[in-house]
Amino acid sequence: SQKIEQNSEALNIQEGKTATLTCNYTNYSPAYLQWYRQDPGRGPVFLLLIRENEKEKRKERLKVTFDTTLKQSLFHITASQPADSATYLCALDPWDSGNTPLVFGKGTRLSVIA
Amino acid sequence: GAVVSQHPSWVICKSGTSVKIECRSLDFQATTMFWYRQFPKQSLMLMATSNEGSKATYEQGVEKDKFLINHASLTLSTLTVTSAHPEDSSFYICSARVPSGAYNEQFFGPGTRLTVL
């Protein structure tokens, strides 16, 4: 069956360290994968997209990798801050259509401790 | 990026009443919108796909007669929770994908917190 899994439900990390979140998928062949941030009581907000032909994508302190052989994406936050505390969701487009809903993982709740 | 708004942001109602939630795309036209429900500390659950000018497509297990969706224009979709009960209390979020968006990302509304007493 098709699955998209984020291995850790919750992750606690010390301020200043690098947080690494994992997203694995099964029985999908996505052309790209996306990461979102969700704060409590708010809708998710798009952060980054990485395409299958890209190994790595960066945006400020964020870095995403995409390994289509391992069927895995890693999401890194370097020099983490308490303001980075949120739930992070990975998502993919099973149909690569652009107008069907993305499939989301359950999310990893990150807590950055000062 | 594109903006999706929702109204109201929160609502409290009595059991048995109906509640309407509006979702608007503010700076783009959305032929398709998506409605999600999220329980505390749970993942997003897709309820239905709202199609402008036609019937919504519901996910398995979602009652069509209970969650009425109307997509009357290219910028407005509404979700009506009919005869609401306490178990319908949840966080409802609408979303749209911008067909010409640079990244095909999905834009979400801020969500509506429904509490049924």
Side-chain angles (χ1 to χ4, degrees):
Chain A
S1 62
Q2 293 175 315
K3 287 185 210 173
I4 178 167
E5 293 177 311
Q6 294 185 246
N7 296 358
S8 301
E9 187 176 317
L11 179 66
N12 295 329
I13 193 162
Q14 202 75 30
E15 182 178 8
K17 301 289 187 185
T18 297
T20 299
L21 284 62
T22 306
C23 177
N24 294 290
Y25 57 91
T26 310
N27 292 328
Y28 287 112
S29 298
Y32 52 85
L33 197 140
Q34 304 184 19
W35 284 87
Y36 289 75
R37 168 182 173 142
Q38 186 176 22
D39 290 286
R42 306 294 296 173
V45 174
F46 170 79
L47 292 176
L48 279 169
L49 176 149
I50 185 164
R51 300 186 187 282
E52 60 181 342
N53 60 349
E54 296 174 317
K55 290 235 161 97
E56 182 179 295
K57 184 72 87 61
R58 290 177 186 260
K59 180 182 174 183
E60 297 172 354
R61 293 183 294 109
L62 308 180
K63 183 179 88 170
V64 172
T65 62
F66 191 10
D67 188 324
T68 55
T69 303
L70 292 178
K71 295 186 182 294
Q72 180 180 82
S73 176
L74 298 179
F75 177 82
H76 306 272
I77 305 176
T78 57
S80 57
Q81 303 166 1
D84 295 326
S85 298
T87 295
Y88 292 87
L89 305 159
C90 66
L92 54 81
D93 184 344
W95 309 111
D96 195 21
S97 69
N99 64 357
T100 49
L102 296 174
V103 174
F104 285 85
K106 290 189 176 180
T108 295
R109 193 166 59 254
L110 175 68
S111 297
V112 181
I113 303 159
Chain B
V3 179
V4 177
S5 72
Q6 272 183 254
H7 179 79
S9 55
W10 59 270
V11 57
I12 301 172
C13 68
K14 291 183 180 178
S15 188
T17 59
S18 293
V19 174
K20 181 187 280 188
I21 302 170
E22 292 186 349
C23 176
R24 293 182 187 273
S25 56
L26 296 187
D27 50 359
F28 66 100
Q29 294 184 329
T31 54
T32 306
M33 288 184 173
F34 311 112
W35 286 96
Y36 292 84
R37 181 164 56 179
Q38 188 174 37
F39 293 105
K41 298 190 178 179
Q42 300 285 314
S43 62
L44 295 167
M45 189 191 84
L46 180 66
M47 297 175 67
T49 298
S50 169
N51 304 300
E52 188 268 334
S54 65
K55 289 184 181 178
T57 307
Y58 290 82
E59 296 299 301
Q60 195 170 11
V62 178
E63 298 175 61
K64 301 177 188 183
D65 295 333
K66 179 158 191 66
F67 299 100
L68 299 178
I69 291 173
N70 185 296
H71 196 149
S73 77
L74 287 171
T75 59
L76 174 63
S77 174
T78 60
L79 168 69
T80 301
V81 183
T82 62
S83 187
H85 287 99
E87 58 265 30
D88 299 323
S89 298
S90 189
F91 190 53
Y92 293 87
I93 313 174
C94 71
S95 176
R97 295 188 76 181
V98 180
S100 58
Y103 295 114
N104 286 336
E105 66 267 37
Q106 204 161 310
F107 292 96
F108 288 85
T112 297
R113 171 78 57 197
L114 170 63
T115 302
V116 184
L117 302 176

